[in-house]
Amino acid sequence: MSKKSDGKVLAQNKKASHDYFIEDTYECGLVLTGTEIKSLRLGRANIGDAFATIRNGEAFVHNMHISPFEQGNRFNPSDPTRARKLLLKKVEINKLLGQAKQEGYTLVPLKVYVRNGYAKLLLGLGKGKKQYDKRDTAAKRDAQRDIQRALREKQKVAR
């Protein structure tokens, strides 16, 4: 069920990989009203503080900020951070509900993008990292960077 995005990325949550171990991802549609899609296409969205919940068998994303469209009309939504419904299949919602109820797991929005003219959200099932996990990840990244740097230097000398 895990899917990857191949559309134009409009907003991305870069802190998610720093704060969570992302174990599984789901692509879901967004229910937007009025001129929100126009603002979204202009890149006026922020999902840094966003989170997802499941209530009454429906998934919602909260604190996703989409700025009002300047040339909008009276159908512009008044609240830019309102809860937006996510379009998922019932089987996926039930699976997410069971996994998200486990201790330490949460639903994290990773990316917002457009695919085939529709706004999509990449939702990740994340397990929170502890401080020592974050330090360990940073140390591994630095070590890998040093290895790559040494290999490049060795290739330059060999030529």
Side-chain angles (χ1 to χ4, degrees):
M1 290 287 185
S2 187
K3 299 176 183 176
K4 302 290 183 214
S5 70
D6 63 351
K8 179 186 173 204
V9 176
L10 304 172
Q12 191 169 6
N13 189 354
K14 295 181 180 179
K15 280 180 55 178
S17 63
H18 182 262
D19 293 337
Y20 300 98
F21 292 113
I22 305 299
E23 297 188 1
D24 202 6
T25 59
Y26 295 88
E27 180 184 75
C28 33
L30 280 167
V31 175
L32 302 173
T33 60
T35 55
E36 285 181 328
I37 187 66
K38 292 184 179 190
S39 285
L40 205 59
R41 286 176 197 259
L42 290 175
R44 320 256 278 90
N46 183 3
I47 59 170
D49 298 329
F51 63 96
T53 59
I54 297 176
R55 285 181 285 152
N56 301 328
E58 295 179 334
F60 293 92
V61 64
H62 301 273
N63 287 349
M64 180 175 141
H65 188 277
I66 298 178
S67 299
F69 188 61
E70 289 96 19
Q71 291 82 30
N73 52 19
R74 61 186 170 145
F75 299 111
N76 259 352
S78 58
D79 184 17
T81 59
R82 69 180 180 83
R84 291 171 178 87
K85 187 175 177 180
L86 298 176
L87 303 174
L88 285 164
K89 295 182 179 178
K90 190 63 79 173
V91 174
E92 292 175 332
I93 290 175
N94 291 335
K95 185 176 177 184
L96 277 174
L97 184 62
Q99 291 173 336
K101 283 195 175 194
Q102 294 176 9
E103 187 67 27
Y105 284 90
T106 186
L107 299 174
V108 184
L110 301 174
K111 291 181 189 178
V112 177
Y113 53 95
V114 173
R115 178 188 283 173
N116 298 332
Y118 294 104
K120 303 286 184 178
L121 180 109
L122 190 66
L123 189 66
L125 178 70
K127 183 173 173 72
K129 284 186 182 179
K130 304 284 188 210
Q131 189 65 36
Y132 59 84
D133 290 329
K134 293 177 186 179
R135 283 193 295 264
D136 186 45
T137 303
K140 285 180 183 176
R141 186 177 58 238
D142 291 342
Q144 190 65 28
R145 190 178 300 137
D146 291 340
I147 291 169
Q148 291 298 325
R149 188 177 299 128
L151 286 174
R152 275 198 309 270
E153 291 298 321
K154 190 172 185 177
Q155 288 177 348
K156 284 182 182 178
V157 172
R159 289 181 186 186

